Amino acid sequence: STTVEPFRLAIIGSGPAGFYTAYRFMKNNEHAKVDMYESLPVPYGLVRFGVAPDHAEVKNCREKFEEVAASPDFTFIGNVTVGASSDHPDGATVPLSSILRHYHAVVFSYGSSEDRKLGIPGEELKGVFSAREFVGWYNGLPEYADLNPDLSLGAHGDTLIIGNGNVAMDVARILLKSPEELARTDIAAHALDALSKSKTHNIRIIGRRGPIQAAFTTKELRALYKLPGVEVRPYELEHPTAYDALPPPIKRRTELLSKGSSLPPNPSNPYPSVTFDFCLSPLEFDHKPEQPSSTPPNWVTSATFGKTVLQNPNQHHPSTDYETNNHREYYNQKATARLPPQPKTVTFNTRYVFKSIGYKSTPLPEFSLLGIPFNTSTGVIPNDGIGRVLTKLHRPHQLPSSSHPAHHQPHIELPHHFKGLYCSGWVKRGPQGVIAETMMDAFTTADAITEDLTKREKFLPEGEWGQDGKGWEAVKAEALKGNSNARVVSWEDWKAIDRAEIERGQKAGTGKEREKFVRREDMLAVLGD
Ligand code: FAD
C-alpha cells in the first residue's frame, strides 16, 4: 500500500486568529497536520495579554482552543519566534525561510505587536503610557514586566485616556475598579499592588471625533456605570435636535452618555469620576517644574488638545466654515475629525496619560528579503480580502471587500497572490474587531486554503521554496541545531505552566482565578530541563 504524505500547514501565532484558522482547517481536512509557532512560552495571544482580567467570560474561547490542541494532528511549538533577525535572547528563533522550505502552506496570524504613535511633543515624558504597555503590564506580558508605573502621585488634575474604543474603556475600568474585586481575577500581582495605591480617581476619556462617532460599545460603557461608587458625568450633546434619527444602538449609547450615573450628592467626599470629552485632538504633553516639587523630573504635568472639526469623508473640498461643518456632520456616523489650521485649544493638568489609539502590526524581519510585501501605512499584509497573500502592494480600491468573496465579483480581476501564503486576524484586517470577528475572518482564510487544496495547484512551489512537507522536525533539525538555550514549549509543557499558575492563584486566598508568571524564565522554570 502507498502512504500519502499529509498536507502540512504552519500557523504563525497562537492568538484567536491562529487557533480559529487551525480549528476550521482541521475540521475540513481530516488528515492534515498543523504546526503552530508561538514566540511566547504560553499560548492565546491577546486573550491572555489583551482582554481585561475582569472579562473572564470573554476568555471562554480557550476551551475551543484546547480542543484543537488535543488533536494528534496538531503540534504547539512555543517559545519559538519566527523571523531570523528578531531580537529574542531567551527563546528560540527560526527563520521564515526554513519554514517555507518545509511546509505546503503557511498562515501569518501573528497579530499586532507595536503601538501607534501620536508623534507629538512630550510623548516620551514619564507618566505618558501607551495602552499596549499598560494593558500588557496588568495582564502579565513579559515585555512589560518592569514597567512599574507609579500610580500613587497625588491628585493633580485628571487622568487622561486618549482614544475612544473599548480598550480605552478597559483602561478606565481597571483604574477605577476596587482592588478587592480585581483580586479575584487573573490580574498580575504587581498590578494589583500598584493599583491599590493608585490616585488616578478622576478620569477623562477623550476622543478626536464626536459622541456619535465614538468606537466603544454600549456594553463597555454600561460596565463603567456599574462600577460601585463611581460617577459617570453626564455628557451634554451639542446639537440635541436630530437625536431621534439615530440608529437604535447609537441612540441607546448616546442616551446613556447624556444621562450620566445618578449617585446621591456627596460633596464632602467626592466620588471618583469619569468624564467624556469629544472633538479634541492631542497637540502636546508638557512638563513644568513646580515649587515645591511633588512630581518627579520629566514627568508629564499637562496636556494640550486642539478642537477638531467633523467632516464628511466623501466630500473632497469641505467648507472652511467649521461651525456649519460641525453642525452638519454631528450625526453622521461616518464623519471624520480634522484639526483646523488654528484650532481652539484646551489644556488639562494631569500626571497620567494613557494613549489608547491603537495597535500596529509590522512585517516579519525576512519579508523584504523574501519578496513578501507589507503595507506599512495600513499595517497589514496585503491580501486578496479573503486571506491569500498578494505578491505586491495594490491600492485598496482594487481589492474585493471581505464581505463579498472574489468569485461573486466577476468584474474585479484578482491581483497575483503567493502560492501557499495566507494570513488571518489582525495582521490581515488591521488591529480592530472583537474575537468573534477575528474568528469569522480566520474561517474565511481557512476555507480559502481548503479551496486551494482541492485545486492542488496553489502551494509553495517545489524548487523555489522547496516544499517537502516535513514540517517541524525538519525545521528543528535545520534551525535549532547548536542552539542549546532554546527550550521549546510543547502543549504538555504549557499545561504544566497553566496548572502552576492556577495553583499560585489558589494560594493568594482571594479566590484568584490564576496568578500568572510574568517572566519568561519563571514560566520555563516550571518545566525544569
Ligand atoms: P493576537 O491575539 O495578538 O495573537 C497573535 C499571536 O502571535 C501572539 O500570541 C504573539 O505572541 C504571536 N506572535 C507574534 N509574532 C510572532 C512571531 N514572529 N513568531 C511566532 N509568534 C508570534 N475582543 C473581545 O472579543 N472581547 C474583549 O473584551 C476584548 N478585549 C480586548 C482588549 C485589548 C486591550 C485588545 C488589544 C484587544 C481586545 N479584544 C477583545 C480583541 C481581540 O483580542 C482580538 O480580536 C484578537 O486577539 C486578535 O487575534 P490575533 O490572533 O489576530 O492576534
Side-chain angles (χ1 to χ4, degrees):
S1 70
T2 51
T3 48
V4 183
E5 274 292 304
F7 183 83
R8 272 192 204 274
L9 181 67
I11 295 183
I12 300 170
S14 71
F19 265 108
Y20 281 121
T21 308
Y23 164 74
R24 178 77 157 209
F25 184 73
M26 290 167 70
K27 191 163 163 249
N28 291 326
N29 298 276
E30 234 178 81
H31 302 291
K33 302 277 183 201
V34 171
D35 292 350
M36 180 179 279
Y37 292 81
E38 168 56 54
S39 41
L40 289 158
V42 294
Y44 306 145
L46 287 170
V47 174
R48 179 175 165 115
F49 296 115
V51 172
D54 60 342
H55 275 0
E57 74 294 346
V58 174
K59 304 186 193 199
N60 289 342
C61 57
R62 288 178 301 194
E63 286 162 26
K64 177 98 283 129
F65 304 161
E66 288 202 32
E67 264 174 48
V68 172
S71 161
D73 294 323
F74 178 93
T75 306
F76 179 73
I77 304 157
N79 203 30
V80 175
T81 296
V82 175
S85 64
S86 69
D87 169 31
H88 193 55
D90 310 311
T93 302
V94 297
L96 177 59
S97 55
S98 178
I99 296 212
L100 295 181
R101 263 195 293 281
H102 299 301
Y103 289 88
H104 296 114
V106 176
V107 183
F108 300 114
S109 44
Y110 60 85
S112 311
S113 52
E114 287 191 11
D115 321 300
R116 284 185 49 210
K117 299 267 180 299
L118 287 167
I120 61 172
E123 202 167 354
E124 70 298 334
L125 285 172
K126 290 189 191 142
V128 179
F129 301 96
S130 77
R132 202 182 103 79
E133 61 187 353
F134 185 67
V135 167
W137 168 76
Y138 69 58
N139 279 327
L141 182 63
E143 190 181 344
Y144 297 117
D146 296 313
L147 184 73
N148 199 14
D150 178 359
L151 301 174
S152 68
L153 297 186
H156 296 272
D158 296 337
T159 292
L160 310 182
I161 300 177
I162 299 175
N164 239 332
N166 281 341
V167 176
M169 309 303 263
D170 281 351
V171 170
R173 203 177 61 254
I174 294 300
L175 285 170
L176 292 173
K177 203 155 200 160
S178 76
E180 295 71 40
E181 270 188 86
L182 288 176
R184 288 195 285 273
T185 70
D186 67 359
I187 193 167
H190 60 202
L192 188 57
D193 185 47
L195 285 164
S196 61
K197 299 174 192 143
S198 165
K199 295 253 171 62
T200 56
H201 295 318
N202 295 308
I203 292 179
R204 279 180 186 274
I205 299 178
I206 304 174
R208 291 191 77 213
R209 297 187 293 165
I212 307 302
Q213 296 84 25
F216 53 77
T217 53
T218 309
K219 179 167 173 267
E220 297 304 327
L221 182 60
R222 274 219 177 92
L224 283 185
Y225 282 71
K226 285 190 191 142
L227 291 173
V230 172
E231 182 182 12
V232 182
R233 303 241 168 94
Y235 176 77
E236 205 178 312
L237 291 182
E238 281 172 57
H239 304 286
T241 44
Y243 198 21
D244 278 336
L246 290 170
I250 306 287
K251 186 179 172 210
R252 273 198 297 276
R253 190 183 67 186
T254 316
E255 266 170 353
L256 199 58
L257 263 178
S258 58
K259 219 162 54 192
S261 56
S262 41
L263 296 177
N266 187 13
S268 59
N269 189 14
Y271 298 107
S273 67
V274 180
T275 306
F276 285 89
D277 292 287
F278 295 98
C279 293
L280 290 180
S281 177
L283 297 174
E284 67 173 321
F285 305 119
D286 212 354
H287 166 77
K288 289 219 173 53
E290 342 131 30
Q291 291 304 328
S293 175
S294 57
T295 307
N298 293 321
W299 196 284
V300 66
T301 55
S302 68
T304 301
F305 293 75
K307 187 99 186 132
T308 62
V309 291
L310 293 172
Q311 68 181 42
N312 186 331
N314 300 321
Q315 201 175 346
H316 294 299
H317 303 288
S319 97
T320 49
D321 177 355
Y322 299 128
E323 273 313 307
T324 311
N325 239 17
N326 264 349
H327 200 161
R328 195 178 47 227
E329 303 305 332
Y330 197 72
Y331 289 95
N332 174 4
Q333 267 177 271
K334 300 243 155 32
T336 54
R338 182 165 68 92
L339 268 178
Q342 254 110 42
K344 289 181 197 147
T345 63
V346 302
T347 298
F348 297 111
N349 259 335
T350 186
R351 296 298 179 271
Y352 298 103
V353 178
F354 296 90
K355 300 176 293 173
S356 179
I357 55 167
Y359 287 42
K360 201 176 93 185
S361 303
T362 51
L364 291 184
E366 288 163 281
F367 271 13
S368 65
L369 199 71
L370 293 165
I372 301 169
F374 192 85
N375 189 336
T376 44
S377 69
T378 54
V380 299
I381 298 176
N383 64 85
D384 65 354
I386 299 170
R388 301 177 180 95
V389 176
L390 299 179
T391 53
K392 48 180 183 296
L393 275 182
H394 290 265
R395 277 137 74 69
H397 68 259
Q398 291 177 295
L399 300 181
S401 80
S402 52
S403 53
H404 302 284
H407 48 268
H408 294 149
Q409 298 190 350
H411 49 283
I412 292 181
E413 206 190 310
L414 258 185
H416 289 294
H417 56 81
F418 274 109
K419 297 177 179 200
L421 296 192
Y422 301 86
C423 54
S424 67
W426 278 18
V427 77
K428 166 184 170 189
R429 276 179 306 130
Q432 51 193 306
V434 293
I435 292 166
E437 290 166 84
T438 301
M439 176 185 81
M440 293 317 292
D441 168 80
F443 285 0
T444 309
T445 297
D447 291 350
I449 310 173
T450 303
E451 188 188 323
D452 293 350
L453 179 55
T454 49
K455 293 187 194 145
R456 254 295 171 200
E457 53 188 319
K458 289 186 177 153
F459 292 96
L460 294 174
E462 235 159 320
E464 199 177 314
W465 282 333
Q467 67 165 272
D468 64 10
K470 289 189 179 143
W472 166 232
E473 288 307 320
V475 171
K476 183 162 67 179
E478 186 174 292
L480 286 191
K481 209 172 38 205
N483 187 347
S484 54
N485 291 339
R487 174 61 159 101
V488 176
V489 174
S490 68
W491 195 257
E492 282 304 300
D493 291 337
W494 150 243
K495 295 310 287 176
I497 298 172
D498 189 33
R499 282 192 300 272
E501 288 187 340
I502 293 171
E503 231 169 76
R504 275 155 48 97
Q506 285 161 353
K507 281 196 192 123
T510 52
K512 204 167 197 300
E513 184 196 320
R514 80 169 58 228
E515 188 60 66
K516 290 176 184 169
F517 293 106
V518 302
R519 292 178 197 279
R520 198 186 285 263
E521 58 270 26
D522 295 340
M523 297 170 181
L524 297 178
V526 174
L527 308 176
D529 293 323

